[in-house]
Amino acid sequence: MFKQLRNKLLLTNLAVTAALVICCLTAIYLTTYSYISRQIDNQLARAIDMSIQRIERTGRMQKGSPQVSGEKQDAQPPAGSAPASEDEASDSFSSSFNSTHRPPNADRFSAEFSVYADAEGNVISADTNFNMVESDYADIVKSIIKSGRPKGSAKLDIDSWAYMSVPYGEGYIVAFSPNSTQKKILFRLVIILILAAAVSTAITFIISLFSANRSIRPIEQAYNKQKQFVADASHELRTPLASISANTDVLLSKPESTIADEKKWIIYIKDETDRMTRLTNDLLYLAKSDADEGEKILSDVSFSDIVEDVVLESEAIAFENNIGLNYTAEPELHVSASREGLKQLVLILVDNALKYTPENGEVSVILKSDGDKAVFSVENTGEISREDLPHIFERFYRADKSRSRKSGGYGLGLSIAHSLCAGFGSTLAVKSENNRTRFSFELDKLL
């Protein structure tokens, strides 16, 4: 169950992170691609604009006047001149187009070049700084014009060139700009982004696996503790129930006996019922403390009076077991707490000390003031083993190997004391060494 939950968390983290990484890397690629495309388009547009300017400076064309922005101008030959033939006009235009009629600041080393062609794709003239012959680009220009695509990429020789085609006059101006370098940049960028995505996914997987295991561990521990708690509670309840059932069977087997005759069986039933009632109440308290139900109502409580009352109630038990009970309490120490809860906490600690103190041992109960704190401690003869010490606040845990139990119990007392102490905003501390065990906690003192 927990393995499936971990895998679901892992897959969810991976999916969310992968989606974010893909979106970010895609945005980087698209931004770069858009920037490079705009650069190439600007270069091509500049080449076309320069070609139009040069065409307009060279004069007329035989196949019609230049058309800019969709407007035609009628060709008007100079007065008194004879009409030129088509070949003569074309040669004259081509010669003048590539002549010295360039602006003084023309980009003579620009990588772009442009070609003017008629509607069928036949080259009329070219404006280029390269040593190129018409056969190098004539077929490409013709295929571009026939395709009708205004922009794209074409192969010239072994290099890749971006092109832009615009109508002009009765033909087209096609501008070319090399884009091999840009394509290589984009290709390398794709490789880098793929590697980045792979590395990010691997790192995310490792982090997600660690996080999923760390997130599941407390849930699994809580679940296992709950299972153990239910199993231990069932076991503890089974014992008094079995005793009650056995004693009841004895009574039922003697229908003619009076209550006085079978009094001891009735006492046994009563004792086991009381034990089961205490266990049920303890379990109910722990369940409520786990659920954190309700707000604890705290008030001004005399800590000194509570300790004194508990010690007086415990003197008889200490006397019966031949245990010395020493008591020192500073008077008029007041704290903010629940009276019943604080008394239960002190009673559990004193009762626990008396239960696990060997005969002829001693128990010391001390309440003193330390600055703005009221410090309470219970110290008794006897030592808790190092193996048992980390587990003493666990429910149903009893250190039977190292501590002799003087009366029946369920191993819930110290768990309840720990929970009560936490409810008062304090921590129950324990120290066990040199055949002495000491439990202590402190509360804020009311002035």
Side-chain angles (χ1 to χ4, degrees), residues 115-124 137-150 163-167 170-174 176:
V115 176
Y116 180 70
D118 60 19
E120 300 299 324
N122 300 310
V123 175
I124 298 175
Y137 51 80
D139 292 338
I140 297 295
V141 171
K142 188 173 291 187
S143 64
I144 289 172
I145 293 175
K146 286 183 179 181
S147 69
R149 292 194 298 268
Y163 71 83
M164 180 181 291
S165 175
V166 297
E170 294 183 1
Y172 293 87
I173 294 178
V174 183
F176 294 89

Side-chain angles (χ1 to χ4, degrees), residues 17-33:
T17 306
L20 291 174
V21 169
I22 290 173
C23 289
C24 291
L25 298 183
T26 302
I28 292 173
Y29 176 80
L30 292 177
T31 301
T32 306
Y33 177 82

Side-chain angles (χ1 to χ4, degrees), residues 260-277:
D261 294 337
E262 308 301 335
K263 182 178 180 180
K264 66 175 183 178
W265 306 111
I266 297 174
I267 292 174
Y268 291 158
I269 292 174
K270 179 68 167 60
D271 289 343
E272 294 301 325
T273 302
D274 290 341
R275 283 189 64 200
M276 193 163 60
T277 300

Side-chain angles (χ1 to χ4, degrees), residues 286 349 388-397 411-419 427-431 439-440:
L286 289 172
L349 294 178
D388 294 323
L389 196 59
H391 305 286
I392 59 173
F393 295 126
E394 295 179 5
R395 297 167 187 181
F396 295 108
Y397 186 84
L412 294 176
L414 290 179
S415 295
I416 294 174
H418 187 269
S419 179
T427 302
L428 183 58
V430 58
K431 185 178 181 181
F439 288 88
S440 63

Side-chain angles (χ1 to χ4, degrees), residues 21 27 44 46 61 66-67 97 136 178 188 198 200 217 224 238 257 293 316 325 343 363 405 424 429-430 432-433 447:
V21 169
L44 292 171
R46 181 182 64 179
M61 291 183 297
Q67 179 182 347
F97 190 74
D136 293 337
R188 290 173 184 171
S200 299
R217 192 175 298 116
N224 291 333
R238 189 181 295 116
S257 299
E293 292 182 359
L325 180 59
K343 184 174 182 179
V363 175
R405 291 159 45 100
F424 296 142
V430 58
S432 186
E433 58 185 8
L447 303 177

Side-chain angles (χ1 to χ4, degrees), residues 78-261:
S81 62
S85 67
E86 181 177 345
D87 292 338
E88 290 173 347
S90 177
D91 292 341
S92 174
F93 177 78
S94 178
S95 174
S96 62
F97 190 74
N98 293 291
S99 67
T100 58
H101 290 83
R102 298 176 179 270
N105 297 324
D107 188 1
R108 297 180 180 179
F109 302 99
S110 174
E112 302 85 30
F113 75 94
S114 58
V115 176
Y116 180 70
D118 60 19
E120 300 299 324
N122 300 310
V123 175
I124 298 175
S125 62
D127 183 17
T128 175
N129 294 320
F130 303 97
N131 293 324
M132 302 179 69
V133 295
E134 184 175 323
S135 59
D136 293 337
Y137 51 80
D139 292 338
I140 297 295
V141 171
K142 188 173 291 187
S143 64
I144 289 172
I145 293 175
K146 286 183 179 181
S147 69
R149 292 194 298 268
K151 291 196 311 183
S153 184
K155 211 67 157 165
L156 289 178
D157 196 10
I158 60 173
D159 293 327
S160 177
W161 293 71
Y163 71 83
M164 180 181 291
S165 175
V166 297
Y168 188 80
E170 294 183 1
Y172 293 87
I173 294 178
V174 183
F176 294 89
S177 179
N179 63 354
S180 298
T181 303
Q182 289 84 344
K183 282 189 173 182
K184 289 178 181 178
I185 291 173
L186 290 175
F187 178 76
R188 290 173 184 171
L189 179 61
V190 169
I191 299 299
I192 292 172
L193 294 180
I194 291 174
L195 291 176
V199 172
S200 299
T201 302
I203 294 175
T204 301
F205 175 80
I206 295 172
I207 295 175
S208 299
L209 182 62
F210 175 77
S211 299
N213 287 332
R214 189 173 181 180
S215 300
I216 291 297
R217 192 175 298 116
I219 301 175
E220 186 175 5
Q221 290 174 351
Y223 177 78
N224 291 333
K225 284 183 179 180
Q226 185 182 26
K227 283 179 62 179
Q228 186 64 39
F229 179 75
V230 172
D232 292 340
S234 301
H235 175 74
E236 296 292 349
L237 286 170
R238 189 181 295 116
T239 302
L241 286 173
S243 178
I244 291 172
S245 178
N247 292 324
T248 304
D249 289 340
V250 172
L251 292 176
L252 292 175
S253 66
K254 302 176 181 181
E256 298 178 356
S257 299
T258 63
I259 293 176
D261 294 337

